[in-house]
Amino acid sequence: MTGNKAVAYKGPGKVELIDIDYPTFELKDGPGVNPANVGRAVNHGVILKTVATNICGSDQHMVRGRTTAPPDLVLGHEITGEVVEVGRDVEFIKVGDLCSVPFNIACGRCRNCKERKTGICLNVNPDRPGSAYGYVDMGGWVGGQANYVLVPYADWNLLKFPDKDRAMEKILDLAMLSDIFPTGFHGAVSAGVGVGSTVYIAGAGPVGLAAATSAHLLGAAVVIVGDLNEDRLARARSFGCETVDLTKGGPAEQIEQILGVPEVDCGVDAVGFEARGHGHGKDAEEAPATVLNSLMDITAAGGALGIPGLYVTGDPGGVDEAAKKGALSLSLGTGWAKSLSFTTGQCPVMKYNRQLMMAILNDKVHIAKNVNAKAITLEEAPQGYAEFDAGAATKYVLNPNGYLS
């Protein structure tokens, strides 16, 4: 039997490399696996040898103990891999194919999948619509921060790269197609970004930088990124963004200095539920609705907010009882008065990943450079998690099997 090591959540602030079983075409019992999914046959799946698997800010929420994730949950929903085994019912994906895996697990058969709403598939998670690898309350599909991983409904889910050698030349860029690039793009699209738009993006982490990259790709005239972290703001400036340093106050005044008016056409929340207040640097207190309320203030009437930042229904570390249930003090009256539109939820990756792949392969965008992607070994994952949590302006890409130079 081939060995398989994986990165697992062990408790608040702690991840470890552990030994796990090599995947089979059946979902077995384990940490976080929904009992209704135990024993589920996956003859429509494939086993991938992992080429790249990224550390995500969404993983960090679990690692910080801010979700109900159980110990020993194998992490990792941003997966790129080479097919090494195919299930009995797989028709079109072949052994040797190099593929990107959307972080949403989708069946391709339900009403929502047929409507391209793959982030809320009805058939893969018995608890609720929507599923993902290695994530709390998502059905228990084993994460991909490992040597090998099972991907169900492979003919539907996998995006095969058309030329393996050409793909390997741009593999760090293509590794961003599993989540953050489509997620950032979805945030920009759902905010209404187009040619000539002015855009404010809250958060200069990898998703925020991906949203900024996407806004440029969509033709925005001015892209402004706000954050409390100067190193991350410097990344945004490196590819042509304006920046707002939130240690120096709220965004409106600084936006006015850039644009001449204190508002933008489009707003993107790339922060989520662990947002902090303005003006206090690293000591800023957590204020979960800060970003959403400030975006409503600075987005022009009739505009839209794209909200790819993660919000949860269970947060043991919430600042109050309401926040622990995902209930935030949202100024909905502001949004109503200004006729603002909101789009929340998982990005339906399949809606965008092929187009973004073509943009990468044809040198229209350099997402890995913009997010400062850095390959590290599986053994270095705990250090990568710690550095990312401390605010490193880096997108850590795990290299479990030595494919990445």
Side-chain angles (χ1 to χ4, degrees):
M1 183 62 73
T2 306
N4 196 18
K5 292 189 177 296
V7 180
Y9 169 68
K10 302 296 284 188
K14 190 174 183 183
V15 299
E16 282 183 8
L17 195 61
I18 64 170
D19 290 300
I20 64 169
D21 290 338
Y22 181 83
T24 64
F25 295 106
E26 178 185 311
L27 190 53
K28 294 186 167 62
D29 197 10
V33 180
N34 188 297
N37 260 351
V38 174
R40 184 170 180 161
V42 192
N43 295 316
H44 44 66
V46 301
I47 295 169
L48 295 183
K49 187 175 185 180
T50 308
V51 172
T53 177
N54 315 332
I55 296 174
C56 180
S58 300
D59 296 321
Q60 287 287 17
H61 294 306
M62 288 189 290
V63 172
R64 291 183 190 125
R66 296 299 297 270
T67 70
T68 54
D72 288 322
L73 181 78
V74 174
L75 300 167
H77 56 271
E78 300 191 9
I79 307 163
T80 308
E82 183 177 20
V83 178
V84 291
E85 290 187 49
V86 297
R88 181 193 67 203
D89 298 335
V90 176
E91 289 188 76
F92 307 113
I93 294 292
K94 306 298 182 188
V95 170
D97 286 347
L98 190 62
C99 303
S100 178
V101 185
F103 79 90
N104 331 101
I105 302 171
C107 72
R109 295 150 164 80
C110 71
R111 171 183 173 176
N112 285 350
C113 283
K114 289 177 180 179
E115 293 176 357
R116 302 181 79 195
K117 300 172 184 172
T118 53
I120 43 172
C121 173
L122 300 173
N123 288 332
V124 286
N125 181 1
D127 278 333
R128 64 179 74 169
S131 188
Y133 303 87
Y135 215 84
V136 61
D137 296 332
M138 287 292 183
W141 301 91
V142 179
Q145 289 179 11
N147 297 109
Y148 299 91
V149 64
L150 172 68
V151 173
Y153 301 103
D155 283 325
W156 168 251
N157 281 307
L158 290 176
L159 174 68
K160 176 185 169 183
F161 300 139
D163 183 297
K164 207 167 174 179
D165 292 336
R166 188 178 173 204
M168 285 305 298
E169 291 172 7
K170 296 180 180 291
I171 194 63
L172 277 182
D173 292 288
L174 295 170
M176 304 303 145
L177 291 173
S178 56
D179 181 355
I180 67 161
F181 196 9
T183 292
F185 194 82
H186 180 59
V189 167
S190 56
V193 178
V195 174
S197 298
T198 58
V199 188
Y200 177 73
I201 295 163
V207 170
L209 296 174
T213 300
S214 301
H216 285 306
L217 198 58
L218 289 163
V222 185
V223 180
I224 306 169
V225 181
D227 205 291
L228 297 157
N229 182 319
E230 173 51 34
D231 290 342
R232 290 182 170 183
L233 291 174
R235 290 302 320 164
R237 288 192 294 272
S238 75
F239 58 94
C241 300
E242 302 285 348
T243 56
V244 164
D245 183 347
L246 295 171
T247 66
K248 299 176 180 175
E253 301 85 354
Q254 297 178 66
I255 288 171
E256 186 168 19
Q257 291 171 8
I258 296 165
L259 297 177
V261 291
E263 62 180 18
V264 291
D265 301 323
C266 314
V268 178
D269 172 6
V271 179
F273 73 104
E274 287 191 75
R276 298 184 177 276
H278 308 134
H280 306 288
K282 291 182 178 178
D283 299 323
E285 292 184 0
E286 191 168 307
T290 293
V291 169
L292 292 171
N293 287 331
S294 69
L295 282 173
M296 284 191 282
D297 287 336
I298 63 172
T299 301
L305 308 185
I307 309 173
L310 175 69
Y311 289 86
V312 295
T313 54
D315 173 13
V319 293
D320 53 36
E321 288 307 309
K324 288 177 182 177
K325 296 181 287 187
L328 310 181
S329 298
L330 198 63
S331 180
L332 192 59
T334 302
W336 192 94
K338 296 177 76 173
S339 294
L340 299 176
S341 302
F342 297 68
T343 301
T344 65
Q346 285 188 36
C347 163
V349 170
M350 261 189 245
K351 197 170 179 180
Y352 311 108
N353 61 353
R354 186 189 175 277
Q355 301 96 303
L356 295 176
M357 174 188 75
M358 294 303 291
I360 289 168
L361 291 175
N362 291 286
D363 287 321
K364 299 301 181 187
V365 66
H366 300 94
I367 183 66
K369 180 182 177 183
N370 290 2
V371 300
N372 195 28
K374 178 183 177 183
I376 61 175
T377 65
L378 210 55
E379 290 74 18
E380 292 172 306
Q383 180 184 347
Y385 269 96
E387 291 176 3
F388 188 39
D389 190 47
T394 305
K395 176 67 173 176
Y396 290 97
V397 179
L398 303 181
N399 180 23
N401 293 302
Y403 283 87
L404 310 180
S405 57

